[in-house]
Amino acid sequence: MTTMTEPTTKTLDVPGAVLTYDVRRVESSTFPALLMIGSPMGAGGFGTLAGHFTDRTVITYDPRGSERSTKADPASESTPEQHGDDLHRIIADLGVGPVDLFASSGGAVNALALVSRHPEDVRTLVAHEPPLASILPDREDAMALTEAIHDTYQRDGFGPAMAQFIVAVSHEGEITPEFAAQPAPDPAMFGLPAEDDGTRTDPLLGQNMITCTHYEPDFDALRAASTRIVMAAGIGSAGTMAYRGAGAVAERLGTTPVTFPSDHGGFLGGEYGQAGDPDAFAAKLREVLTEA
């Protein structure tokens, strides 16, 4: 019989940042600890999913510059390599490796960076929908689109750039030059502010937009890694950049993506106002981890 404790919050000083992470500890579990990560989404997005894994220790965290984790220079970019090193330090700090790792969106990109450098840290990686524009067949236009979003943010602020981002991530199919070059939509269409508050520290639009989507994984290192790598894509995300990113990584690794329920936020149970199908998502994740 195992009992999951209430989350214990810890902090860890790393180069250029102070990380905050939460541990839901289970004593005497026979399962590896399970690390759940996103980027720039933090620990707050994994409350529902963590509740489905009360038979093992679960670790969640806020990436550097997001939510409770601070950066010395909050306007600077963060790279997948930095995030990967942060994760390596958290695993070492807890002494729980090798862990199982569920990583979604930008977190999946960062997890690939971690495994390429520290495969001994991770038993099984389930990498869910990494938005890797850099390895798509239409990479030049896909990367130009992410650059355009970043440029809009630097020029006009949060609202216009977020509206442009929403349109981009909803797009199904290849990115054309015309789509990449179209102007940002009216932010009011999405209930977003048009006024520029002058800040340029947004974790998504400022800190990670370019470095995440333009990252090129070290596929030689990933293929040689002891880690079992499972690429995952939501059935409701078909055709989107993140869905296609999962397929592109799997192709380079010589594997086949595993289809998960729902869409890009399929594990969410109301966090950030979004709800996927967390019960079915968690069941699929447990099935994949059990196959290891």
Side-chain angles (χ1 to χ4, degrees), residues 1-2 13 17 64 68 77 89 101 120 126 136 150 172 194 201 206 209 214 216 221 239 264 271 282:
M1 183 71 177
T2 56
D13 289 335
R64 60 169 58 213
R68 301 167 299 170
E77 289 187 324
R89 289 184 171 94
L101 174 52
E120 71 282 358
V126 180
L136 298 178
H150 181 73
E172 297 178 4
T201 59
M209 176 59 63
H214 290 209
E216 296 194 29
H264 196 64
E271 294 89 348

Side-chain angles (χ1 to χ4, degrees), residues 37-39 41 46 102-109 126-130 264 267:
I37 67 170
S39 182
M41 187 184 74
F46 293 100
F102 171 71
S104 186
S105 193
V109 177
V126 180
H128 179 247
E129 299 195 6
H264 196 64
F267 54 90

Side-chain angles (χ1 to χ4, degrees), residues 162-187:
M162 182 55 73
Q164 194 172 17
F165 173 78
I166 292 170
V167 171
V169 299
S170 302
H171 178 77
E172 297 178 4
E174 292 196 356
I175 307 298
T176 64
E178 294 76 19
F179 186 82
Q182 68 182 357
D186 181 356

Side-chain angles (χ1 to χ4, degrees), residues 20-119:
T20 299
Y21 66 95
D22 300 317
V23 183
R24 296 167 172 84
R25 191 172 293 278
V26 171
E27 302 296 342
S28 303
S29 174
T30 59
F31 297 101
L34 176 57
L35 177 57
M36 299 177 174
I37 67 170
S39 182
M41 187 184 74
F46 293 100
T48 301
L49 187 60
H52 285 83
F53 290 89
T54 58
D55 54 353
R56 68 196 72 196
T57 294
V58 175
I59 305 129
T60 56
Y61 95 124
D62 296 338
R64 60 169 58 213
S66 293
E67 302 190 25
R68 301 167 299 170
S69 291
T70 59
K71 286 172 59 175
D73 180 2
S76 64
E77 289 187 324
S78 298
T79 67
E81 292 89 350
Q82 286 176 317
H83 289 301
D85 285 346
D86 290 346
L87 293 164
H88 171 65
R89 289 184 171 94
I90 288 174
I91 293 167
D93 187 52
L94 285 171
V96 294
V99 301
D100 284 343
L101 174 52
F102 171 71
S104 186
S105 193
V109 177
N110 300 339
L112 293 170
L114 167 66
V115 168
S116 67
R117 293 183 173 198
H118 300 285

